[in-house]
Amino acid sequence: HKMENLKVLISEEEIEKKLEELASQLDKDYEGKETTILSVLNGAVFFTTELTLKMKTKMQFAFIKISSYEGTESTGKVTLKSDVSNSLIEGKDVLIVEDIVDTGRSMSYLLEHIKAKNPKSLKLCSLVSKPSRREIEVPIDYLGFEIPNKFIIGYGFDDEEGFRRNLPYIGYKEV
């Protein structure tokens, strides 16, 4: 795989500008709250880090890992690979930070799973959304970008071999 066949879908500048907007909105909404940022591994790590570095809100971090992808197609079977401690969720204002809402299956599963741990409030912030792929509607409270149904790479998204997550922009391959 060469880099040349990658087209830029969302530039580094666009991501930066969106991070500023989201951070400022989240700071308003979470001011004075007992906030837990719940980052969904592995893809959302870049987004979570860069977003929260721009925020002033006092927060705790938690990480959770779910899996629903086998290859490039979602299997529809969601499994919990690594859970989060109840003490970071119960009675807290929880913000899930995710890289993508695609079919909605993983997020629907995750929202139910976290709701069962009795957060004071639960909201979702996703870097991108692919509405054309949606099978289960999930409410995205804070959204970076709505994108067409393309296989995206970079800024947390990997290619089939698990590489290139660390590109500073979001690209896609021309099929």
Side-chain angles (χ1 to χ4, degrees):
H1 290 308
K2 294 195 189 72
M3 298 295 261
E4 294 86 86
N5 59 1
L6 267 196
K7 300 257 189 292
V8 175
L9 182 63
I10 303 165
S11 72
E12 199 171 346
E13 292 71 31
E14 289 172 291
I15 292 172
E16 185 64 23
K17 187 166 168 284
K18 185 58 75 174
L19 288 169
E20 298 282 355
E21 280 170 29
L22 288 169
S24 135
Q25 184 61 54
L26 289 165
D27 274 338
K28 278 194 197 82
D29 297 354
Y30 284 87
E31 192 181 357
K33 293 184 171 174
E34 221 177 311
T35 309
T36 294
I37 301 289
L38 181 60
S39 182
V40 185
L41 299 171
N42 290 338
V45 171
F46 292 85
F47 179 43
T48 306
T49 305
E50 300 214 325
L51 175 66
T52 54
L53 279 170
K54 294 181 187 308
M55 289 172 65
K56 295 167 183 68
T57 304
K58 201 171 141 204
M59 60 184 77
Q60 282 190 296
F61 288 89
F63 297 89
I64 196 161
K65 188 168 187 170
I66 50 178
S67 167
S68 73
Y69 280 80
E70 300 297 330
T72 55
E73 284 302 306
S74 181
T75 55
K77 194 172 79 67
V78 184
T79 52
L80 187 66
K81 299 275 193 186
S82 166
D83 204 357
V84 58
S85 150
N86 288 13
S87 64
L88 285 166
I89 304 297
E90 204 174 335
K92 309 275 196 286
D93 291 289
V94 178
L95 178 68
I96 295 176
V97 179
E98 174 60 297
D99 57 354
I100 186 168
V101 178
D102 191 6
T103 61
R105 285 191 192 141
S106 299
M107 194 43 66
S108 170
Y109 169 91
L110 188 57
L111 287 165
E112 290 310 307
H113 178 73
I114 298 301
K115 268 179 202 150
K117 295 178 186 281
N118 297 314
K120 185 175 177 188
S121 72
L122 181 58
K123 290 199 168 159
L124 169 60
C125 175
S126 185
L127 177 59
V128 297
S129 170
K130 269 190 198 176
S132 64
R133 300 256 306 155
R134 202 78 83 244
E135 289 166 24
I136 301 173
E137 275 314 314
V138 288
I140 303 176
D141 304 282
Y142 305 93
L143 177 63
F145 305 91
E146 200 163 278
I147 63 164
N149 187 16
K150 294 185 184 301
F151 185 72
I152 55 175
I153 298 169
Y155 203 78
F157 299 99
D158 60 359
D159 58 21
E160 293 92 334
E161 286 82 38
F163 293 110
R164 304 207 293 213
R165 278 186 199 270
N166 56 326
L167 293 174
Y169 60 88
I170 295 174
Y172 65 96
K173 265 192 273 196
E174 281 292 30
V175 180

